[in-house]
Amino acid sequence: VGSPVGGGGGGYSPSPQPSSPSPFPTSPSISPSRPKVPKMSRAGYYMVPTTKELQQALERRGTEALRAVEFFTIGRHGVGAITWDGFTDLTAVGTELDKAVQLTRGEVAVYSGAAAAYKPPRGRGLNKPAEVTLHNIFCPREPLAAEDDSFDADGGVLIDASERMAVFRRRLQTAPGTEFVDYDPVHGVWKFRVRHFSRYGLDLSDDSDDEGDEDDDEDDGPGLGVGGGGSMGAGAAA
């Protein structure tokens, strides 16, 4: 019902009506379906972009900011890093990347062990092509058993440093499931590419790691081992 308006004109002004809520959110920050930003909480790990940068992008641009993150990287200081190709959709990778990504000395694992339960199809999430960089990968100083006569100059045991390095480099180059990119023997940096993820790298059976990963008992593949006995084999899980 209108209210009378003075002035003798007998007109009416409409009563104010309550506004109906908009079907569209006015800001990404209040959208009930807005995804959460992934994070790494384990000491020594980092992300590029950082969690803070991703959160800021989400506030500015909404969900689309997480659907196409270019050259997303997860690393661990002094151990290595993974950089995924192109644009990565982070909307469905979960917030706790600690459970999905493990970087230990000489080895990288993504969606391995218990995390395999929520491993996405190839090409989605973090299960897509990437370049891996591992640090502190040095040729063993102890003798290595030769697997190829062309490297055997000392009765089956490689004593000469150049021979050891030749065998070591060759096995890095031919590690199953990986595409060799580069190896820097001075700084101990090994780079390789993978088409998808599980577990790749070196099985340093005589070396301990401070993470105490719960997946250590999982048999994800033969690995690339450098044991005290001088044997070394390459491998990766599918």
Side-chain angles (χ1 to χ4, degrees):
V1 179
S3 301
V5 179
Y12 292 87
S13 65
S15 301
Q17 300 294 321
S19 60
S20 58
S22 170
F24 304 104
T26 58
S27 168
S29 62
I30 64 173
S31 173
S33 61
R34 187 175 62 126
K36 294 182 179 180
V37 173
K39 64 180 180 179
M40 296 292 297
S41 59
R42 184 173 296 151
Y45 280 80
Y46 62 89
M47 289 179 8
V48 180
T50 65
T51 298
K52 181 178 180 179
E53 290 169 338
L54 289 174
Q55 184 65 50
Q56 291 173 342
L58 181 63
E59 295 294 337
R60 292 193 308 267
R61 297 162 45 208
T63 302
E64 290 304 312
L66 298 184
R67 291 193 187 279
V69 179
E70 190 172 17
F71 300 123
F72 180 60
T73 298
I74 292 178
R76 184 183 178 191
H77 296 293
V79 177
I82 309 167
T83 299
W84 281 268
D85 289 3
F87 293 92
T88 299
D89 184 355
L90 299 182
T91 59
V93 302
T95 58
E96 301 296 333
L97 291 181
D98 294 330
K99 299 178 181 179
V101 180
Q102 305 284 339
L103 282 158
T104 56
R105 181 171 176 264
E107 187 175 74
V108 56
V110 181
Y111 298 124
S112 181
Y118 53 92
K119 182 177 181 178
R122 293 185 185 183
R124 299 185 61 184
L126 302 182
N127 192 24
K128 53 175 284 188
E131 180 169 303
V132 177
T133 300
L134 295 177
H135 300 282
N136 293 311
I137 308 300
F138 294 101
C139 179
R141 295 182 179 181
E142 69 270 17
L144 298 175
E147 294 182 354
D148 190 318
D149 290 340
S150 64
F151 291 97
D152 187 1
D154 298 286
V157 177
L158 302 179
I159 303 297
D160 182 80
S162 62
E163 292 177 308
R164 290 200 306 271
M165 179 58 68
V167 171
F168 187 71
R169 180 183 290 273
R170 180 181 178 186
R171 292 175 185 175
L172 295 180
Q173 292 172 336
T174 58
T178 70
E179 177 186 341
F180 181 81
V181 174
D182 187 40
Y183 176 61
D184 179 352
V186 176
H187 299 97
V189 179
W190 175 28
K191 294 183 179 182
F192 59 88
R193 293 185 51 77
V194 297
R195 295 182 179 180
H196 60 93
F197 270 100
S198 60
R199 187 184 295 267
Y200 301 93
L202 299 172
D203 178 17
L204 302 177
S205 56
D206 59 346
D207 194 28
S208 61
D209 187 87
D210 59 359
E211 280 193 299
D213 297 332
E214 62 182 14
D215 298 334
D216 284 348
D217 294 333
E218 297 288 339
D219 184 11
D220 289 297
L224 177 58
V226 184
S231 63
M232 188 165 54

